[in-house]
Amino acid sequence: MSNETVRIQFSEMQDKLETILCKYRFPAGKAQICARIITESTCDGVLSHGLARFPRLINQTENGEIDPQAEPELVNSQAASEQWDGRHGIGIYNAVKVTDSITARARENGIAIAGLRNTSHWLRAGTYGWRAVEQGCAFICWTNTIPIMPAWNSGKSILGNNPLVIAVPSQDGNHIVLDMAMAQYSYGKLDLYRRSGSKLPYPGGYNKHGKLTIDPSEILETGMPLPVGYWKGSAMAFVLDMLAAVLSDGKATMDVDSVENDISQVFIAIPLTKPGQMHIAELLKKAVTDFASAPDKNGNFPRYPGQNIPEIRKENIEKGIPVPARLWNNIAKY
Amino acid sequence: MSNETVRIQFSEMQDKLETILCKYRFPAGKAQICARIITESTCDGVLSHGLARFPRLINQTENGEIDPQAEPELVNSQAASEQWDGRHGIGIYNAVKVTDSITARARENGIAIAGLRNTSHWLRAGTYGWRAVEQGCAFICWTNTIPIMPAWNSGKSILGNNPLVIAVPSQDGNHIVLDMAMAQYSYGKLDLYRRSGSKLPYPGGYNKHGKLTIDPSEILETGMPLPVGYWKGSAMAFVLDMLAAVLSDGKATMDVDSVENDISQVFIAIPLTKPGQMHIAELLKKAVTDFASAPDKNGNFPRYPGQNIPEIRKENIEKGIPVPARLWNNIAKY
């Protein structure tokens, strides 16, 4: 019963979310954009950073942590570069505005970059990569977060997991979109393993004795997930944080408020319009053939980041988007 | 005897390398730049990507794999964007030329990007990050390589380890420079562990049965080092490769020649000149304090990427650069 799943049509979900957002004082256009993106993420199979976060978004809006009326402000620009202040508005909308601004600016300059400060959670990082590739731009973006991951050799969580997106558009729509946080497992994934009573396939964090463990409960207890690649992911998370703070003139993880409405983000768009930059579809076809020729001993073979998304999306648009019945019933009450 | 180390003065090493490069038909200016950079890398403690690779460089030049006379060519440019052809010249010089071009172009535009194709090994990736931060630019660069690492779920090495640099300049000279390949351990590091008869602290690759192992010999035997963070580093290596190939109109790892003189690289420079972008020194001081307050249970505490380099550099400039006597004697014979 509690694990029952229902399938909701794309337009029904989007309309419902839009109506709720309007009720909570989001202007109509902004409500429409946010509802669409949350629905798209859920439709792409990323429930944890889609619909599952909607109740918290509304809660943060009620608490005044997110200002539904705030418009992001372009505070500085020079040729191919912008600085934005998100003014504690909703992270999705702020990031969409900046993504669209930067892709347009990139078309004139061959590349463009923006730093965005004082923004709130952008939900699914991949959203902005997918949005940019649809506009023919390669895209790199990342965010900092509150401290939720230890640094290498630290005894407590002092780094963000700082999700990073690198996206490459393909003319045939088979875009490459990498969307990865700097922790080996997200808290959502750890919780999923815990609920199912499973151990992790690989060590995913520290227990209270400071030892690496594959027990998700022990990691959720300490709040010390393992950085990707031990010292390497720790170093990368740190430098992404510093660069986000500096480029946006915003806050670094150590200074971000616990309500996480003043985080810093970076967006870089690169239009693929130069000679020879259009051969990605061909390259990708060759890579997939290469992958298929190199299965492992269990007959598995590699896939490229984002490869499975179009299939999932198609199925969920046809059959309805699967969501936990309990979550959908909760949302219906707003 | 065979493990004896000698200390060579910076200027002696640089002069010696320059003389040899000139003998092998490198033009004087180019020989000077390459000799200096190889000496700097060795001085910074990165012997494996400094002096230790010099014999191979000469060998490749003798074999015609590297053309000592080739000048990189700017084949395309638009506002903040460039495309270069390295024409199978020496990777260090090509990458230096592109780094300098892009940092100048970035100052006019707020950011600039270049793709470089048909280039050879740039030795130490961090070189170009350090060079750019000295010029007040944040810097992101990466390279593809020949296939030397398995993809996640692949039974053979089909990806490059694709070193990535992210660098942030600080006004007080304490720059942050991340220099990381996408394999958990480099082949050089694996070999170092093997020679010392030690196991790896964490699994570093696959043995011939397709199982993860901490035995460096087993990994060197299969040529299957583990990507950083399992599936995550695999995905990241792949997308970096695709983006390098597309942005440079060059080759992806699957098409790179085994002599590795036609690899593809990307360089992005971002001058920190906007309001608030100059507070990195202050941020970094705070971060280091934060680090010091969070030691692990063994009393270790985190350091930021690049933090130890200025100390190493200072010591080696004072006392001479430590190198294996056997290597130095070999080089003396050229």
Side-chain angles (χ1 to χ4, degrees):
Chain A
M1 166 70 185
S2 70
N3 292 323
E4 197 194 333
T5 293
V6 289
R7 282 191 180 263
I8 310 297
Q9 286 304 312
F10 191 107
S11 59
E12 185 189 348
M13 189 181 293
Q14 183 180 342
D15 291 349
K16 178 69 190 164
L17 300 182
E18 190 176 336
T19 305
I20 299 170
L21 288 166
C22 287
K23 209 163 118 186
Y24 284 86
R25 297 196 307 119
F26 284 87
K30 195 188 290 190
Q32 197 263 332
I33 288 172
C34 294
R36 179 166 188 92
I37 282 174
I38 295 166
T39 306
E40 281 174 350
S41 297
T42 317
C43 182
D44 281 0
V46 193
L47 177 74
S48 63
H49 288 71
L51 198 69
R53 280 196 73 111
F54 189 76
R56 184 157 162 200
L57 266 185
I58 296 300
N59 196 256
Q60 286 184 287
T61 306
E62 280 190 294
N63 290 346
E65 294 164 17
I66 291 175
D67 177 357
Q69 310 273 333
E71 277 293 312
E73 188 191 354
L74 179 61
V75 286
N76 256 298
S77 69
Q78 172 212 1
S81 158
E82 299 180 348
Q83 254 183 1
W84 290 78
D85 187 328
R87 300 169 73 207
H88 314 294
I90 185 163
I92 299 171
Y93 179 76
N94 286 345
V96 161
K97 286 278 280 194
V98 174
T99 299
D100 291 353
S101 175
I102 224 67
T103 47
R105 194 177 283 267
R107 248 171 250 118
E108 289 162 34
N109 294 284
I111 186 170
I113 186 168
L116 168 62
R117 66 175 177 255
N118 294 329
T119 193
S120 58
H121 203 302
W122 64 6
L123 272 64
R124 176 193 184 196
T127 292
Y128 315 99
W130 284 100
R131 191 171 182 95
V133 292
E134 297 289 354
Q135 298 171 52
C137 282
F139 206 66
I140 303 172
C141 64
W142 67 90
T143 184
N144 64 11
T145 72
I146 50 171
I148 49 176
M149 185 175 86
W152 188 246
N153 287 339
S154 82
K156 62 179 184 182
S157 281
I158 58 175
L159 297 179
N161 67 353
N162 304 350
L164 169 72
V165 170
I166 308 179
V168 189
S170 176
Q171 310 88 285
D172 61 7
N174 293 317
H175 308 301
I176 309 172
V177 181
L178 172 78
D179 176 356
M180 70 176 256
M182 295 300 137
Q184 187 65 57
Y185 298 98
S186 67
Y187 280 91
K189 196 59 77 73
L190 291 173
D191 195 47
L192 222 61
Y193 275 103
R194 186 185 58 79
R195 282 164 190 256
S196 71
S198 315
K199 300 292 184 212
L200 305 170
Y202 304 96
Y206 297 91
N207 65 18
K208 61 185 173 186
H209 308 296
K211 298 284 179 208
L212 282 175
T213 176
I214 58 168
D215 182 335
S217 305
E218 290 189 332
I219 302 165
L220 289 165
E221 185 191 346
T222 59
M224 300 258 291
L226 181 67
V228 165
Y230 312 90
W231 52 92
K232 290 198 168 185
S234 165
M236 189 155 172
F238 179 75
V239 69
L240 290 176
D241 178 36
M242 288 291 119
L243 202 43
V246 166
L247 291 177
S248 69
D249 191 15
K251 290 186 181 166
T253 287
M254 59 191 165
D255 294 323
V256 164
D257 194 278
S258 60
V259 303
E260 208 175 23
N261 68 0
D262 51 359
I263 55 178
S264 302
Q265 302 177 336
V266 176
F267 303 78
I268 301 173
I270 312 152
L272 296 189
T273 49
K274 285 210 171 38
Q277 290 188 338
M278 300 296 285
H279 67 306
I280 186 70
E282 180 196 325
L283 264 182
L284 207 47
K285 248 176 234 153
K286 238 183 126 177
V288 170
T289 309
D290 211 31
F291 286 170
S293 77
D296 70 9
K297 303 219 166 179
N298 302 316
N300 300 313
F301 53 87
R303 303 189 67 132
Y304 63 81
Q307 187 173 354
N308 59 341
I309 297 288
E311 301 161 32
I312 297 173
R313 188 181 293 173
K314 188 164 173 283
E315 182 180 339
N316 290 341
I317 284 174
E318 279 169 19
K319 299 187 185 165
I321 303 168
V323 293
R326 188 192 282 187
L327 174 63
W328 188 246
N329 293 339
N330 271 347
I331 284 168
K333 289 180 205 144
Y334 280 104
Chain B
M1 167 68 186
S2 69
N3 291 322
E4 197 194 335
T5 293
V6 288
R7 283 192 180 263
I8 309 298
Q9 286 302 310
F10 190 105
S11 59
E12 184 187 348
M13 188 181 293
Q14 183 181 341
D15 290 350
K16 178 69 191 165
L17 300 182
E18 191 176 334
T19 304
I20 299 170
L21 287 166
C22 287
K23 207 163 122 187
Y24 283 87
R25 296 196 306 120
F26 284 86
K30 193 187 292 193
Q32 196 264 333
I33 287 173
C34 293
R36 178 165 188 93
I37 282 175
I38 294 166
T39 307
E40 282 174 349
S41 298
T42 316
C43 182
D44 282 0
V46 193
L47 177 74
S48 62
H49 288 71
L51 196 70
R53 282 196 72 111
F54 190 76
R56 183 154 163 203
L57 267 185
I58 295 301
N59 197 256
Q60 285 183 289
T61 306
E62 280 189 294
N63 290 345
E65 295 163 16
I66 291 175
D67 177 357
Q69 310 273 332
E71 276 293 313
E73 187 191 356
L74 179 63
V75 286
N76 257 299
S77 69
Q78 172 212 0
S81 159
E82 299 180 348
Q83 255 182 0
W84 289 78
D85 187 328
R87 301 168 72 205
H88 314 294
I90 186 165
I92 299 171
Y93 180 76
N94 286 345
V96 161
K97 287 278 279 193
V98 174
T99 299
D100 291 352
S101 174
I102 225 66
T103 47
R105 195 177 282 266
R107 249 172 250 118
E108 289 162 33
N109 294 284
I111 186 170
I113 186 169
L116 167 63
R117 65 175 178 256
N118 293 330
T119 193
S120 58
H121 204 302
W122 64 6
L123 273 61
R124 176 193 185 196
T127 292
Y128 315 99
W130 284 101
R131 191 170 181 96
V133 292
E134 298 288 352
Q135 297 170 54
C137 282
F139 205 67
I140 303 172
C141 65
W142 68 90
T143 184
N144 64 11
T145 72
I146 51 171
I148 48 176
M149 184 175 86
W152 188 245
N153 287 337
S154 82
K156 63 179 183 184
S157 281
I158 58 175
L159 297 179
N161 67 353
N162 303 352
L164 169 71
V165 170
I166 309 179
V168 189
S170 177
Q171 309 89 285
D172 61 6
N174 294 316
H175 309 301
I176 308 172
V177 181
L178 172 78
D179 176 354
M180 69 177 256
M182 295 300 138
Q184 188 65 57
Y185 299 97
S186 67
Y187 279 91
K189 196 62 76 75
L190 291 172
D191 195 47
L192 222 61
Y193 275 103
R194 185 185 59 78
R195 282 164 191 256
S196 71
S198 315
K199 300 294 183 210
L200 306 169
Y202 303 96
Y206 298 91
N207 65 19
K208 62 185 175 188
H209 307 296
K211 299 284 179 208
L212 282 175
T213 176
I214 57 168
D215 182 336
S217 304
E218 290 189 335
I219 303 165
L220 289 165
E221 185 191 346
T222 59
M224 299 260 289
L226 180 67
V228 165
Y230 312 91
W231 52 92
K232 290 198 168 186
S234 164
M236 191 157 170
F238 179 75
V239 69
L240 290 176
D241 178 35
M242 288 292 118
L243 203 43
V246 166
L247 292 177
S248 69
D249 191 15
K251 290 187 182 165
T253 287
M254 59 192 166
D255 294 324
V256 164
D257 195 278
S258 61
V259 303
E260 209 177 22
N261 67 0
D262 51 359
I263 56 177
S264 303
Q265 301 176 336
V266 177
F267 303 79
I268 302 173
I270 312 152
L272 296 190
T273 49
K274 285 208 171 38
Q277 289 187 339
M278 299 297 284
H279 68 307
I280 186 70
E282 181 196 324
L283 265 181
L284 207 48
K285 248 176 234 156
K286 237 182 125 178
V288 169
T289 309
D290 212 30
F291 286 171
S293 76
D296 70 8
K297 303 218 169 183
N298 303 316
N300 301 312
F301 54 87
R303 304 188 66 132
Y304 63 81
Q307 187 172 355
N308 60 339
I309 296 290
E311 299 161 33
I312 297 173
R313 188 180 296 173
K314 188 164 173 281
E315 182 180 339
N316 290 341
I317 285 175
E318 279 170 20
K319 299 188 186 165
I321 303 169
V323 294
R326 187 192 283 187
L327 174 63
W328 187 246
N329 293 338
N330 270 345
I331 284 169
K333 289 179 205 143
Y334 280 103

